[in-house]
Amino acid sequence: MAFPPADEEAATATDETTALVPPSSSEAHVRLTAIKRRIAGYTRRTPSASTILATLLTLAFAALLTTFIVVSRDTSPREDGSNPFDHLTIARHGAVNSDVAVCSDIGVAILRDKNGTAVDAAIATALCIGVVNMYASGIGGGGFMVIRAGDGGSASINFRETAPGAAHRDMFNHDAMAARWGGLAVGTPGEIAGFYEAWKLYGRVPWRELFEPNIELCENGFEVPKFLRHVIDGELDWLLKADKGEWGFLFDERGEVLDAGALMYRPALGKTLRLIAEGGPKAFYEGRVAESLVRSVRKHGGVLTVEDMKGYTAEIEETLKMWAFGQEILTCPPPCSGAVLIEGLNIAEGLDMSNADSAVVTHRIIETMKWLSAGRTEIGDPSDEAVSNAARIAEIQSKQFAAMVRRNISDTRTYGWQHYHPSYEFKESKGTSHINVLDAAGMAVALTTTVNLYFGARICDPETGIVLNDEMDDFSIPGTDNAFHLQPSIYNFIKPYKRPLSSTAPTITVYNGHPSLVIGGSGGSRIVTNVFLCFIKIHKWGYNLLDTIRSPRVHHQLMPEIAFVETGTRDDIVQGLEDRGHVVQELPAIGSVVGAVHRLPDGEIHAVSDYWRKGGVSLTFPLVAFARFAIMAAD
């Protein structure tokens, strides 16, 4: 159940502040409005003395129990002086999980202060990520959102970028790097359209109010996160030569890159967000914003048109569903990689992976990763009927296929890549951000958004402040077989208005009718393998969420033929992998960031962001808010 507003008058006034409110004819909005009115009624009730006493005793017991749980854990500082439990957040009502503290805070404010839904909070948080971590995501990009509503319904919103109308299969044959940087690399952005479709289905806070805190960040400034400065340092070769008219917001008045902790301002983007806040998606896809984006893209040699912008639509699709580990699992359909996550979970369910300290168990995990990476080579946009692969995608998600794969996994050896039958090569990506939200009414959102490589196409439109994606690089290019002589995927060739293959896998699990785990990540092909590994750690090893996220990871994507392990992996496990024929490479981090929110069977919510790899932050409702609600809702 959602938090009540301060009073009924305030709730009514909020709904009247703008014309951009969720349509009253929407079944979802009618349901949520009814809930809101019921909760608002509690504010007019005066609790009895017995109610207050009973509530205080309940809270005292909960506090005592929480104390017991905390002291029973290993809370000792690590070698670097940090305490891992500083990065575990526990709550009862809801949580917002993202890469940036201020963005998680904005999401929580939408839930708590605006009586918003998980979709409202996810949108506001994602807009913030685009402001602060513009190298990874933003309204010039696209992505996928998986939603599970409190009534049990679910939806997947596909707002992946599309190829412009003038794009064609052979457009990068002369120069493959043109798919990465410059105007030709830009696909039609989808984020605003996707957010609007999700908001129409499940939003409650007026559209304009989701933008307001982010407009303030642009205008009043925000502190540069350490990881943003780290990324900028890695991109300095081109940034120092880039047009300061486009990228000037990254530099101070002396022309030097802003230090971590310094204030960054994005006034041009703030003006654009204000236009979209007032005018909805039409203000982005038509008129001056669209015209300015097209001018910038074409100035850099691209083919995007105002017609491409105006014609873009986000797709509302059914979620992919499976049953494993005693839970229903919901994820996104192609061109998202949810199908191969399902493939991997089906395979793992029938294997003994219970011993976290066993080399053979790690070997089985890696072998499963190799199979799901092979499955990923066959995914493309199902809208391209000329090369439809629907039957094969359905097959690799089946229990029968999983049983066949298990018969082809040896406990004593690994095999060359041919054994796993990949069909084509797959593409790699880099700059992505993931957000998880769970609200008090039982709605969950897993949202992954991206501009592809760091800073996308390396184009920032100076008039609008929008960083544009390079999503055309996620398509396959004919005649560019990889080092293993695998041909590019026919399912992923460029076609006008087609959406490229995505490595993302936003996922929600449901246990006993309630969302249980909300999870996703960033890091290209490592996303799906690491989300898969988190399922193993939770459901096979019995790890809590904190240990699931912070413990060392392994990764194999079939090609190159290397088992990557993070520093901290046990020496005997590494040796066991090598004894089975794996080439093992140890890295401080394997390039994937995972965040999750986990609702335990007793209702307690744990949220963990990947502080250890990207400095992510989770925030939740404070206990005082719970006490306020409990007193008003009792009797």
Side-chain angles (χ1 to χ4, degrees):
M1 189 171 288
F3 285 126
D7 55 63
E8 190 174 28
E9 290 183 5
T12 303
T14 298
D15 284 341
E16 295 173 349
T17 56
T18 175
L20 285 173
V21 296
S24 59
S25 59
S26 164
E27 179 181 350
H29 182 60
V30 169
R31 181 178 66 255
L32 293 172
T33 300
I35 293 173
K36 180 177 177 180
R37 288 173 178 168
R38 284 203 307 274
I39 297 172
Y42 290 128
T43 64
R44 297 190 297 272
R45 297 171 59 187
T46 302
S48 65
S50 60
T51 297
I52 295 174
L53 178 61
T55 302
L56 291 175
L57 289 173
T58 300
L59 292 174
F61 175 75
L64 178 62
L65 178 60
T66 300
T67 302
F68 172 77
I69 292 174
V70 171
V71 299
S72 70
R73 294 166 173 153
D74 174 15
T75 60
S76 57
R78 297 305 182 254
E79 290 182 1
D80 62 359
S82 67
N83 187 330
F85 289 95
D86 291 342
H87 308 292
L88 168 65
T89 309
I90 300 175
R92 279 280 171 186
H93 288 284
V96 176
N97 168 272
S98 81
D99 293 341
V100 180
V102 67
C103 300
S104 297
D105 192 37
I106 284 173
V108 165
I110 291 294
L111 291 175
R112 182 188 59 216
D113 302 334
K114 299 286 188 179
N115 193 28
T117 68
V119 164
D120 292 322
I123 293 170
T125 303
L127 289 170
C128 175
I129 294 293
V131 171
V132 179
N133 277 3
M134 75 300 296
Y135 67 87
S137 69
I139 62 175
F144 298 89
M145 185 188 306
V146 174
I147 305 166
R148 203 274 185 177
D151 65 356
S154 65
S156 177
I157 312 294
N158 177 348
F159 54 99
R160 184 71 158 153
E161 302 90 332
T162 56
H168 57 90
R169 193 189 76 159
D170 301 312
M171 63 188 292
F172 298 114
N173 287 3
H174 66 292
D175 182 7
M177 290 299 101
R180 296 189 175 187
W181 304 303
L184 283 177
V186 180
T188 309
E191 186 166 286
I192 289 297
F195 289 175
Y196 194 72
E197 291 299 330
W199 176 79
K200 285 196 299 182
L201 284 174
Y202 293 113
R204 183 163 56 208
V205 175
W207 174 258
R208 178 174 59 82
E209 295 183 22
L210 303 179
F211 287 75
E212 287 175 350
N214 298 299
I215 294 169
E216 291 179 10
L217 282 181
C218 291
E219 294 176 345
N220 300 330
F222 56 89
E223 291 187 1
V224 175
K226 291 181 180 179
F227 195 82
L228 170 56
R229 176 56 201 253
H230 171 73
V231 171
I232 291 173
D233 286 342
E235 302 287 318
L236 273 181
D237 283 348
W238 71 268
L239 272 174
L240 291 176
K241 303 171 187 174
D243 184 351
K244 295 300 188 292
E246 294 188 23
W247 300 100
F249 61 89
L250 298 177
F251 299 85
D252 62 21
E253 63 277 3
R254 298 169 297 174
E256 297 179 0
V257 174
L258 292 170
D259 286 329
L263 284 181
M264 179 182 290
Y265 301 89
R266 302 192 64 189
L269 180 62
K271 292 178 181 178
T272 301
L273 292 179
R274 193 176 298 281
L275 287 172
I276 301 169
E278 299 294 343
K282 186 174 181 179
F284 178 82
Y285 290 99
E286 300 180 39
R288 53 195 266 199
V289 173
E291 291 165 1
S292 182
L293 292 179
V294 168
R295 279 196 302 271
S296 281
V297 170
R298 298 182 81 87
K299 172 187 172 184
H300 288 273
V303 294
L304 186 71
T305 67
V306 291
E307 289 77 19
D308 293 327
M309 293 289 294
K310 186 176 181 179
Y312 182 88
T313 57
E315 297 180 351
I316 304 173
E317 303 169 323
E318 292 187 10
T319 54
L320 295 183
K321 300 177 182 179
M322 70 169 295
W323 189 269
F325 310 119
Q327 305 201 18
E328 185 181 37
I329 298 171
L330 312 175
T331 188
C332 52
C336 172
S337 288
V340 295
L341 174 63
I342 289 176
E343 176 193 3
L345 295 176
N346 275 331
I347 295 167
E349 193 177 28
L351 292 172
D352 181 1
M353 293 184 176
S354 58
N355 186 353
D357 298 325
S358 166
V360 70
V361 166
T362 303
H363 165 74
R364 290 169 185 161
I365 289 170
I366 288 176
E367 289 299 295
T368 304
M369 289 178 174
K370 293 173 78 171
W371 277 101
L372 68 86
S373 294
R376 184 170 166 262
T377 69
E378 304 195 56
I379 293 179
D381 187 346
S383 69
D384 187 356
E385 297 179 357
V387 289
S388 175
N389 200 25
R392 176 60 173 166
I393 299 303
E395 180 185 20
I396 65 174
Q397 296 178 75
S398 69
K399 301 291 185 181
Q400 294 82 358
F401 183 81
M404 181 277 294
V405 168
R406 287 193 292 269
R407 291 194 295 270
N408 283 275
I409 292 178
S410 167
D411 278 349
T412 60
R413 61 164 298 191
T414 190
Y415 299 92
W417 63 265
Q418 299 91 335
H419 175 79
Y420 307 88
H421 305 296
S423 296
Y424 301 97
E425 70 167 344
F426 52 76
K427 305 289 290 186
E428 188 64 87
S429 59
K430 194 173 183 180
T432 305
S433 189
H434 183 80
I435 295 161
N436 302 295
V437 183
L438 182 62
D439 71 18
M443 182 183 293
V445 175
L447 187 163
T448 309
T449 176
T450 182
V451 292
N452 198 30
L453 301 177
Y454 284 161
F455 295 103
R458 298 182 177 176
I459 300 172
C460 180
D461 175 40
E463 183 176 329
T464 64
I466 295 173
V467 176
L468 288 156
N469 69 84
D470 68 328
E471 227 58 74
M472 296 300 290
D473 186 54
D474 269 0
F475 283 110
S476 295
I477 302 173
T480 57
D481 57 325
N482 62 19
F484 297 86
H485 306 294
L486 271 177
Q487 295 297 310
S489 172
I490 62 172
Y491 307 117
N492 197 37
F493 280 157
I494 298 169
K495 192 174 183 178
Y497 312 117
K498 186 174 176 178
R499 301 167 199 248
L501 166 64
S502 171
S503 304
T504 60
T507 301
I508 298 170
T509 71
V510 181
Y511 178 73
N512 278 349
H514 300 285
S516 172
L517 181 67
V518 191
I519 191 169
S522 61
S525 58
R526 293 162 176 80
I527 296 174
V528 67
T529 59
N530 280 282
V531 171
F532 163 76
L533 182 59
C534 287
F535 273 88
I536 300 304
K537 290 180 177 182
I538 292 171
H539 295 293
K540 293 283 192 176
W541 298 355
Y543 276 19
N544 59 42
L545 189 61
L546 178 62
D547 288 339
T548 294
I549 300 299
R550 74 185 180 98
S551 57
R553 297 179 190 155
V554 299
H555 167 73
H556 206 302
Q557 61 187 55
L558 190 59
M559 295 171 286
E561 294 183 289
I562 298 173
F564 296 97
V565 302
E566 285 187 340
T567 302
T569 303
R570 290 166 52 115
D571 291 342
D572 58 322
I573 289 178
V574 172
Q575 185 61 55
L577 294 177
E578 292 176 341
D579 290 344
R580 288 168 173 81
H582 294 281
V583 176
V584 181
Q585 182 175 345
E586 182 178 323
L587 298 172
I590 57 176
S592 176
V593 173
V594 177
V597 174
H598 192 196
R599 183 182 184 275
L600 304 182
D602 67 355
E604 186 173 83
I605 298 168
H606 290 192
V608 179
S609 291
D610 210 336
Y611 169 83
W612 302 271
R613 298 171 183 87
K614 200 174 182 180
V617 175
S618 302
L619 294 175
T620 62
F621 295 132
L623 187 61
V624 66
F626 170 55
R628 169 174 168 255
F629 175 75
I631 291 172
M632 289 186 293
D635 264 354

